[in-house]
Amino acid sequence: MPPEILPVVEKILSANDMVALENKKLLDEHGVLAVNVMASPGAGKTSLILRTIEALRGQLRAGVIEGDVAGHVDADKVAETGIPVVQINTGGGCHLDAPQVQNALKQLPLEQIDVLFIENVGNLICPTGFALGEHVNMMIANVPEGHDKPIKYPGMFSEVDALVLNKIDLMPYIDFDLEAFRTAVTALNADAPQFLVSCKTGEGIQEWAEWLLAQSQRH
Amino acid sequence: MQAFCGILATMHEMAVTESILEIVLRHARVANARRVLSVTLVIGELTGFVDDSIQFYFDFMSKDTPAQDAQLIFERIQPRARCQECGIEYTPPNSRLWTCPECSALGGEVIAGREFSVASIEIE
């Protein structure tokens, strides 16, 4: 056979995307709203999840999937509250993928969950490329990491459905230009609501939790 | 962005390179190809995938398959945005605020830059 060019035109993440669709279908069957929580390491993903669960207690039943490179520190924190939780260790992987979430879903009592928080691996790049079956993509930025992050990591900032800026209680001590930050986020993603919160003091949590509750009711 | 990824990025590219190889070998098999000479990939700049890293894993994973020694050809797609005020399309600047060059409106809808596909394979 002489050399020839064969057109393929196939999306590379299709295998992952197919499993993500299966996950979404399973979640839909059980009426579960899945939230993909993305942020850099130390942004306060677990803290925000716990604060949100607390704010929504009595209104939404929560479940959590914890994604970490190693260890189960975060899952232990969640388990202390009595919330169903599964830890995924990626063993070096920088993001969660749909097959990992599929396995985790098998270990959760989905019929007892209204909102499932999927805490992705701390990373501002890779997680956006891998659908998990989630309904809401959100990210947490935080004051100490600086106001220039939207400009440095446009991929994630431009794709999320909602943005939470955490650690606003540290604003007086840090050169964080809130206006520049908000302008940069709006430039990339005008549709995503921006919530300013402090998981330390609880400021702003209610507003974010109410937005999430509205998403769940619409689901 | 590439510098930040460092060792993390290598895991990132490993996962997608498995998918690339699977697609390439499946199409080559269906076409009864003996050998895959090259693979053309289309990659949007907003995806953050690193060419060298994909090539590294591809060389490793394709050993003893019909795609061994295949050359990867990377077609990079620059980001494009459509202004939501005046509707013109523009190339957003790297590492600066996305503002419309016509009407100065902030932001825009991403219409290119997220591509990530196998476009074609050269076989014999």
Side-chain angles (χ1 to χ4, degrees):
Chain A
M1 183 158 102
E4 63 167 312
I5 304 279
L6 182 72
V8 173
V9 196
E10 189 168 330
K11 281 193 181 173
I12 289 166
L13 294 177
S14 56
N16 182 75
D17 288 350
M18 270 163 58
V19 178
L21 277 177
E22 287 170 23
N23 290 348
K24 197 170 203 170
K25 191 162 158 267
L26 181 70
L27 291 161
D28 286 341
E29 281 165 10
H30 290 86
V32 180
L33 180 89
V35 184
N36 184 11
V37 179
M38 298 177 285
S40 50
K45 292 183 288 298
T46 310
S47 301
L48 184 77
I49 289 169
L50 290 174
R51 278 285 194 179
T52 312
I53 291 172
E54 195 182 298
L56 294 171
R57 184 152 293 166
Q59 300 176 86
L60 285 183
R61 299 166 304 168
V64 180
I65 293 175
E66 285 288 345
D68 284 294
V69 171
H72 44 81
V73 182
D74 289 349
D76 290 349
K77 269 187 239 166
V78 176
E80 276 172 25
T81 67
I83 302 289
V85 58
V86 175
Q87 175 78 53
I88 297 174
N89 280 145
T90 60
C94 52
H95 58 270
L96 290 178
D97 61 30
Q100 289 168 338
V101 170
Q102 188 171 46
N103 282 332
L105 291 177
K106 289 178 193 151
Q107 301 168 51
L108 283 168
L110 294 180
E111 62 288 345
Q112 296 165 33
I113 294 174
D114 300 313
V115 59
L116 175 66
F117 296 95
I118 305 174
E119 182 180 326
N120 219 311
V121 179
N123 181 341
L124 288 180
I125 303 167
C126 315
T128 47
F130 293 81
L132 307 175
E134 74 280 3
H135 304 90
V136 175
N137 277 302
M138 67 85 60
M139 73 175 293
I140 309 168
N142 72 96
V143 169
E145 74 186 358
H147 56 256
D148 56 359
K149 292 301 163 288
I151 288 177
K152 291 186 173 176
Y153 303 96
M156 184 172 290
F157 281 87
S158 65
E159 275 198 7
V160 293
D161 303 306
L163 176 127
V164 168
L165 176 66
N166 187 23
K167 308 189 189 181
I168 56 167
D169 52 301
L170 295 178
M171 209 83 86
Y173 313 106
I174 287 170
D175 291 330
F176 186 91
D177 186 337
L178 181 61
E179 202 188 324
F181 175 80
R182 298 195 75 149
T183 306
V185 174
T186 306
L188 289 166
N189 191 338
D191 298 330
Q194 301 172 14
F195 301 96
L196 308 188
V197 314
S198 164
C199 289
K200 183 88 179 164
T201 67
E203 188 180 348
I205 297 290
Q206 197 57 37
E207 198 187 343
W208 145 252
E210 278 167 18
W211 179 85
L212 194 60
L213 181 63
Q215 304 306 306
S216 164
Q217 286 162 347
R218 205 176 301 153
H219 180 56
Chain B
M1 193 177 274
Q2 298 188 1
F4 171 82
C5 272
I7 195 161
L8 290 180
T10 61
M11 293 303 296
H12 187 180
E13 270 79 4
M14 187 168 84
V16 300
T17 306
E18 275 181 318
S19 291
I20 293 170
L21 187 61
E22 184 273 323
I23 292 168
V24 168
L25 292 178
R26 176 159 40 82
H27 284 269
R29 198 167 50 238
V30 170
N32 279 324
R34 259 186 327 116
R35 214 153 72 85
V36 180
L37 303 175
S38 71
V39 176
T40 301
L41 303 170
V42 173
I43 304 183
E45 290 288 356
L46 289 173
T47 62
F49 289 109
V50 182
D51 296 359
D52 287 352
S53 196
I54 293 177
Q55 181 78 61
F56 173 81
Y57 282 112
F58 190 88
D59 292 347
F60 179 74
M61 291 175 179
S62 64
K63 282 210 176 79
D64 301 323
T65 76
Q68 179 171 340
D69 299 327
Q71 187 199 352
L72 298 187
I73 299 161
F74 298 91
E75 283 181 11
R76 307 291 297 198
I77 308 285
Q78 292 300 314
R80 293 281 292 169
R82 182 183 293 120
C83 176
Q84 282 167 322
E85 293 298 322
C86 72
I88 71 144
E89 292 174 11
Y90 66 96
T91 301
N94 193 16
S95 303
R96 274 190 292 122
L97 275 182
W98 290 19
T99 43
C100 174
E102 271 305 301
C103 72
S104 302
L106 266 184
E109 178 198 353
V110 177
I111 53 172
R114 295 202 203 286
E115 300 76 4
F116 193 47
S117 61
V118 179
S120 63
I121 56 178
E122 187 187 358
I123 52 173
E124 66 170 17

